[in-house]
Amino acid sequence: FVTDVEHPAAGYKKIFETVEELSEPIPAQVIGRIPPWLKGSLLRLGPGLFEVGDEPFYHLFDGQALFHKFDFKNGQVTYHRRFVRTDAYVRAMTEKRIVITEFGTFAFPDPCKNIFSRFFSYFKGIEVTDNALVNVYPVGEDFYACTETNYITKVNPETLETISKVDLCNYVSINGVTAHPHIEKDGSVYNIGNCFGKGMSIAYNIVRIPPTQKDKSDPIEKAKVVVQIPCSDRFKPSYVHSFGMTENYFVFVETPVKINLLKFLGAWSIRGANYMDCFESNETMGTWFHLATKKTGEYQKLKFRTSAINLFHHINCYEDNGFIVVDLCTWKGFEFVYNYLYLANLRENWEEVKKQAMMAPQPEVRRYVLPLDVHREEQGKNLISLPYTTATATMWADGTVWLEPEVLFSGPRQAFEFPQINYKKYCGKNYTYAYGLGLNHFIPDRICKLNVRTKETWVWQEPDSYPSEPLFVASPDAVEEDDAGVLLTIVVNPGAAQRPGYLLILNAKDLTEVARAEVEVIIPVTFHGMYKP
């Protein structure tokens, strides 16, 4: 998917601008034919408010959460959006300023308070944001918008009304959870976050929320920790955005991007800081792979190591003849990629955007293979015997198993990110196809499909058009992995005179266009979401 497409008009700036919510759904103009079996809703989350009065948000992950929905009914499509009424949003609207510190924006004290009340307010504890702008997922019969803190927000997927905020700390030992849980066919939800483990040292807990309860009680009340994974550093957990899960194992990749908790607690309470200020890189640790069994919750004390990478999204993991295959969207090196996602960088003219991206870590789709049967006497030998991969695993004298990946895709400053698969049938299983959002020097400008076996690729792209994460929806009659399925993505074409935003439906087989549903409003950047049948 390497592309030479340029964006000199810099229309991408429009996806980083504030928009208004809608009072009611608006009809979309359909071009093409909506598949008759597509009778649900596309739900998406992202930032929609990039400043409060004269106070700007500085980072891509700071803007206030906007919930988007495209509804499909009888071949027609409507579009609706509303801001999630989090505490961060409501208080900002009430006080007309940024009240709660976000990922890259510090909330200054209320200027109306005197110096003594401001000073003491610092010691009331850290006020963690509940700005649920990253993803939405089901728990039992409910739906929750989320970010990466301990707060998730229950929303009504029909009306987009905000119902309530839930603090997961009240139910399970966790300091925060990712926005990428795994959901099994029975509705069980698995997620991971850091916690204080034995001896008050940092660890990572994988938690399980059970499916819908027969007594109609809230499944979150029955959440529990299923396994605890040790941290490579006593007081500095790694940043975690997602994890892997096969039929029998959890896969956790611990990267060298660290959160300095002492800096977090001290700087926050005394001088004021944002989340980005508390990240640092451990330049010597490389990357650690951890395994734990699903059924017994047993941590596997195998020392899998590889070179330093940033990791945000797992594509898929599966077991094959005594090995675990782990496919990842990686960024080479230990420098934190989020350092390049400040809005000032993303709103630059095209040549400046490219210059910044040239300094950032290089993206690469990689396959790692972990042997489950490891013997110390096999020192120096490649332990991987799967015939279809060039990935290697080599035993070192100290018992470490050193992993070298197979590269599935690499292009200069071209990322395959926000990956999706036919999740319901192939999550945790041997699979063939991955779909992703193509980032061209951090600008999203194409939809990609990758055959992870042959490395064959397909691309959808149009001039001055900026899509979002593609979601795979299988046809009810599907037999093969990508058979008759479609991809749903939201695209913005800022130069369009009448209808600059649209829902695009692509044939998952070859990425040809099936239909589009155009609306007369700009749609800002969205991160993740789901299809609700």
Side-chain angles (χ1 to χ4, degrees):
F1 348 102
V2 177
T3 176
D4 294 324
V5 172
E6 300 283 326
H7 301 285
Y12 49 80
K13 295 181 183 182
K14 280 290 184 184
I15 64 176
F16 307 119
E17 291 183 1
T18 292
V19 297
E20 294 182 350
E21 64 180 9
L22 299 173
S23 58
E24 58 185 23
I26 59 175
Q29 178 73 39
V30 176
I31 298 171
R33 181 171 177 266
I34 306 292
W37 51 264
L38 205 57
K39 299 177 181 177
S41 303
L42 173 65
L43 308 176
R44 303 283 303 173
L45 264 297
L49 182 74
F50 291 91
E51 65 284 314
V52 181
D54 295 330
E55 297 184 12
F57 291 107
Y58 293 110
H59 201 274
L60 178 60
F61 303 137
D62 293 348
Q64 297 302 286
L66 186 63
F67 204 125
H68 307 257
K69 181 176 74 154
F70 279 93
D71 267 334
F72 307 96
K73 191 174 182 181
N74 300 323
Q76 300 300 308
V77 181
T78 59
Y79 170 64
H80 194 24
R81 68 187 184 206
R82 294 194 68 183
F83 284 104
V84 184
R85 266 57 178 180
T86 60
D87 285 352
Y89 175 82
V90 171
R91 290 175 61 185
M93 294 299 97
T94 302
E95 299 189 32
K96 296 181 173 54
R97 65 183 187 89
I98 298 171
V99 178
I100 297 179
T101 292
E102 299 293 348
F103 198 76
T105 304
F106 172 62
F108 288 96
D110 186 348
C112 297
K113 288 182 179 180
N114 64 41
I115 190 169
F116 295 107
S117 58
R118 278 190 238 164
F119 178 80
F120 285 111
S121 69
Y122 280 131
F123 295 93
K124 291 181 180 177
I126 296 168
E127 193 161 24
V128 175
T129 183
D130 62 344
N131 182 21
L133 79 162
V134 183
N135 204 357
V136 56
Y137 60 90
V139 176
E141 297 178 353
D142 299 317
F143 290 81
Y144 289 87
C146 65
T147 177
E148 297 184 319
T149 68
N150 50 300
Y151 295 118
I152 58 176
T153 302
K154 187 189 295 189
V155 291
N156 183 326
E158 303 304 321
T159 65
L160 305 191
E161 291 178 357
T162 303
I163 299 172
S164 61
K165 180 170 81 170
V166 174
D167 183 354
L168 292 172
C169 290
N170 294 334
Y171 303 99
V172 70
S173 177
I174 211 86
N175 296 326
V177 292
T178 78
H180 291 285
H182 280 288
I183 301 173
E184 296 194 310
K185 290 181 180 179
D186 69 351
S188 298
V189 178
Y190 289 93
N191 213 335
I192 188 171
N194 61 60
C195 67
F196 284 105
K198 294 178 181 178
M200 288 304 288
S201 60
I202 287 293
Y204 308 94
N205 277 347
I206 294 178
V207 301
R208 177 182 180 268
I209 302 174
T212 304
Q213 303 294 291
K214 291 181 180 180
D215 60 4
K216 299 298 180 183
S217 61
D218 187 349
I220 292 177
E221 296 177 355
K222 295 178 173 61
K224 66 177 184 178
V225 175
V226 293
V227 63
Q228 187 166 103
I229 296 171
C231 180
S232 61
D233 191 301
R234 183 177 175 86
F235 292 116
K236 296 177 182 178
S238 291
Y239 174 68
V240 186
H241 191 80
S242 65
F243 68 108
M245 191 171 79
T246 71
E247 291 188 71
N248 297 296
Y249 291 90
F250 298 113
V251 180
F252 170 52
V253 183
E254 189 179 15
T255 73
V257 176
K258 293 288 185 175
I259 305 168
N260 187 324
L261 289 184
L262 297 179
K263 186 186 293 184
F264 181 86
L265 295 169
W268 204 291
S269 61
I270 303 301
R271 64 172 175 82
N274 58 55
Y275 296 83
M276 280 294 293
D277 292 328
C278 302
F279 287 103
E280 59 185 45
S281 294
N282 183 332
E283 300 180 12
T284 60
M285 76 165 277
T287 302
W288 298 18
F289 282 69
H290 301 271
L291 291 179
T293 56
K294 270 180 70 178
K295 289 182 180 177
T296 63
E298 183 182 358
Y299 175 67
Q300 306 293 296
K301 295 180 180 179
L302 298 170
K303 294 167 65 176
F304 295 112
R305 306 286 186 265
T306 191
S307 55
I309 57 172
N310 277 223
L311 169 65
F312 307 107
H313 300 116
H314 285 66
I315 300 175
N316 197 19
C317 306
Y318 63 89
E319 301 161 41
D320 188 358
N321 287 308
F323 300 94
I324 295 182
V325 178
V326 183
D327 291 350
L328 308 172
C329 297
T330 70
W331 300 74
K332 296 180 184 178
F334 51 75
E335 186 189 5
F336 198 19
V337 172
Y338 287 2
N339 292 336
Y340 294 87
L341 299 183
Y342 282 94
L343 291 166
N345 293 345
L346 298 173
R347 289 166 173 162
E348 285 279 9
N349 290 325
W350 179 235
E351 291 304 318
E352 283 300 315
V353 166
K354 288 198 293 183
K355 281 182 187 176
Q356 289 287 330
M358 291 302 289
M359 296 185 289
Q362 165 67 26
E364 206 165 67
V365 179
R366 292 181 171 185
R367 166 166 288 179
Y368 292 89
V369 180
L370 284 58
L372 292 171
D373 190 15
V374 175
H375 301 285
R376 189 176 290 270
E377 61 268 18
E378 296 180 311
Q379 183 179 328
K381 172 188 173 185
N382 177 21
L383 305 177
I384 308 303
S385 58
L386 293 178
Y388 55 79
T389 182
T390 58
T392 64
T394 308
M395 171 71 76
W396 285 3
D398 64 355
T400 296
V401 178
W402 184 262
L403 307 174
E404 287 291 345
E406 176 184 4
V407 176
L408 302 182
F409 169 77
S410 182
R413 311 303 158 185
Q414 308 288 316
F416 177 94
E417 262 291 355
F418 297 84
Q420 293 287 319
I421 61 171
N422 183 341
Y423 186 89
K424 287 188 176 179
K425 286 193 174 181
Y426 290 90
C427 176
K429 298 179 181 178
N430 198 334
Y431 74 117
T432 304
Y433 301 109
Y435 311 92
L437 177 64
L439 303 181
N440 180 0
H441 297 78
F442 290 118
I443 300 301
D445 69 358
R446 63 201 183 280
I447 298 298
C448 314
K449 177 182 179 178
L450 171 65
N451 183 321
V452 299
R453 298 171 187 260
T454 67
K455 303 179 187 177
E456 183 181 6
T457 61
W458 297 258
V459 172
W460 175 92
Q461 187 170 43
E462 288 188 358
D464 300 315
S465 297
Y466 307 100
S468 63
E469 169 194 63
L471 289 176
F472 177 87
V473 184
S475 161
D477 302 322
V479 177
E480 297 179 12
E481 185 174 339
D482 61 346
D483 185 24
V486 296
L487 299 180
L488 305 180
T489 180
I490 295 175
V491 184
V492 176
N493 180 359
Q498 280 187 298
R499 296 185 291 270
Y502 59 95
L503 168 79
L504 177 65
I505 304 176
L506 298 175
N507 185 322
K509 203 86 170 174
D510 56 10
L511 298 199
T512 56
E513 181 172 332
V514 174
R516 63 178 66 186
E518 301 177 337
V519 291
E520 296 180 354
V521 292
I522 286 279
I523 302 173
V525 61
T526 60
F527 298 136
H528 301 288
M530 61 171 289
Y531 174 72
K532 176 181 174 293

